[in-house]
Amino acid sequence: MIHIKESLQRLGKIKAYVIGLLVIMFAAGSAVTPTSVSAAVQLGTQVMPLSYGGYYVLFPGKLAPYFKAGKLMVPIRAFSNAIGADLLYDALSKSITVSLLDRSVGNIKAGQLEADFNGETVDSLGVAPEIKDGTLFVPASPILEGLKSFRWEVQFNNVNKLTLGIGARKGEEWVKSEADRALAPYPLETTAHPYPLYPTMLTQAQSGKEYRLTLGVQNTSGFIIPKGNAELELVSVDSKGNSFYQTLKGPDSSTSKAALLTFSVTIPTEAEYVIFRSRTLRAQ
């Protein structure tokens, strides 16, 4: 994964200008929808996965984020849980408040542009929250801005895939959930190239009393991954905060550059979000 500046250096002048303009307008909340994302993307497509703490955060199936008027729309409950924020629903006003430490974004309602920021200011979210398949989606960037604890940027990898990189602001406390703590840092002595597989799709389907997660990835490492030299880790988190950790072996054959792969696993309960990371192993 590389940052925007590094990506643009490798593009032609015209393409660099267009992509750079797209990212600037997205970050500023412009009403431009990325042309690479159609209005009818396949269910579960990870149009721009979140990345923080050295891993991706994915939302499966109908919870997958999408673009609306240049904003990344995320499922508010799952998103709040994933970033370690608290969510409160007020039945009287039928509104939602997201809070973290001593900051909050409140009075969030479907179809309403304005929200209360820290109980002091009323400001626009840029795009009105909306309900899709019974789930309330909100624009991610105003929520992150209102909570003040985060910094973020749109990033490109070496095949121009988008990621929303999130980190803690300087001097701010990084709040981690129990699911986050399940993934210890990769040991450098056993890791050749961390995060070589980029998530493209995540779906889930009920199978008896369990659920079947299917994860699509692409080799965006820029090199061929040798047979048996990759490893994946998944932490599936349900709506009650229960997490289920799994380690998966990578493909049992050589993986070419930009190759698409699919992995399936069974989990005990329906996932609200999934933490994912991968690595290639050093030769023993």
Side-chain angles (χ1 to χ4, degrees):
M1 181 184 300
I2 59 177
H3 294 288
I4 297 172
K5 182 177 178 182
E6 298 170 3
S7 177
L8 296 183
Q9 288 174 347
R10 293 204 294 268
L11 299 171
K13 291 183 179 179
I14 295 178
K15 188 176 180 182
Y17 174 78
V18 173
I19 293 178
L21 180 62
L22 167 63
V23 174
I24 290 170
M25 295 179 80
F26 173 81
S30 164
V32 173
T33 302
T35 56
S36 60
V37 181
S38 71
V41 293
Q42 188 176 345
L43 187 70
T45 298
Q46 303 299 303
V47 294
M48 190 162 71
L50 311 185
S51 171
Y52 63 81
Y55 48 77
Y56 291 105
V57 176
L58 315 175
F59 301 96
K62 66 180 184 180
L63 297 179
Y66 57 93
F67 286 112
K68 182 181 179 183
K71 293 283 191 181
L72 183 69
M73 304 293 286
V74 294
I76 189 167
R77 186 179 71 179
F79 178 71
S80 300
N81 290 339
I83 64 174
D86 295 318
L87 185 145
L88 177 66
Y89 176 71
D90 186 327
L92 185 62
S93 64
K94 296 182 180 179
S95 68
I96 287 175
T97 297
V98 179
S99 60
L100 181 65
L101 301 177
D102 58 346
R103 291 129 182 174
S104 65
V105 181
N107 197 29
I108 301 170
K109 297 180 183 180
Q112 178 176 287
L113 272 173
E114 291 74 27
D116 297 338
F117 289 80
N118 298 308
E120 300 173 353
T121 11
V122 177
D123 204 351
S124 173
L125 293 169
V127 176
E130 62 182 7
I131 296 175
K132 291 187 67 176
D133 294 322
T135 298
L136 181 65
F137 283 80
V138 300
S141 55
I143 303 299
L144 292 171
E145 178 66 28
L147 296 179
K148 300 294 184 184
S149 296
F150 303 99
R151 56 178 174 80
W152 69 94
E153 63 178 333
V154 180
Q155 301 170 339
F156 283 100
N157 60 22
N158 58 4
V159 293
N160 299 327
K161 298 290 188 179
L162 294 170
T163 300
L164 181 62
I166 301 175
R169 287 188 187 273
K170 187 176 180 180
E172 292 286 342
E173 180 182 353
W174 182 258
V175 179
K176 283 194 171 186
S177 66
E178 290 296 326
D180 298 352
R181 299 189 188 104
L183 294 179
Y186 279 141
L188 296 178
E189 66 276 10
T190 62
T191 303
H193 298 280
Y195 325 122
L197 301 177
Y198 176 87
T200 59
M201 182 81 62
L202 181 64
T203 60
Q204 65 180 332
Q206 192 162 7
S207 176
K209 293 183 179 180
E210 298 180 313
Y211 287 82
R212 191 73 172 168
L213 277 178
T214 301
L215 172 67
V217 299
Q218 183 174 25
N219 177 12
T220 55
S221 64
F223 57 88
I224 297 173
I225 301 176
K227 171 183 177 181
N229 201 42
E231 181 180 86
L232 296 80
E233 289 181 299
L234 297 175
V235 182
S236 307
V237 186
D238 67 16
S239 60
K240 297 179 181 179
N242 301 313
S243 58
F244 186 68
Y245 172 83
Q246 293 167 300
T247 301
L248 306 178
K249 291 183 179 180
D252 55 8
S253 60
S254 178
T255 304
S256 61
K257 296 179 182 179
L260 296 171
L261 305 168
T262 301
F263 298 87
S264 292
V265 294
T266 299
I267 56 176
T269 58
E270 186 175 15
E272 187 175 57
Y273 68 93
V274 174
I275 293 173
F276 162 68
R277 69 177 180 177
S278 62
R279 62 172 174 167
T280 55
L281 309 176
R282 291 189 184 278
Q284 300 298 318

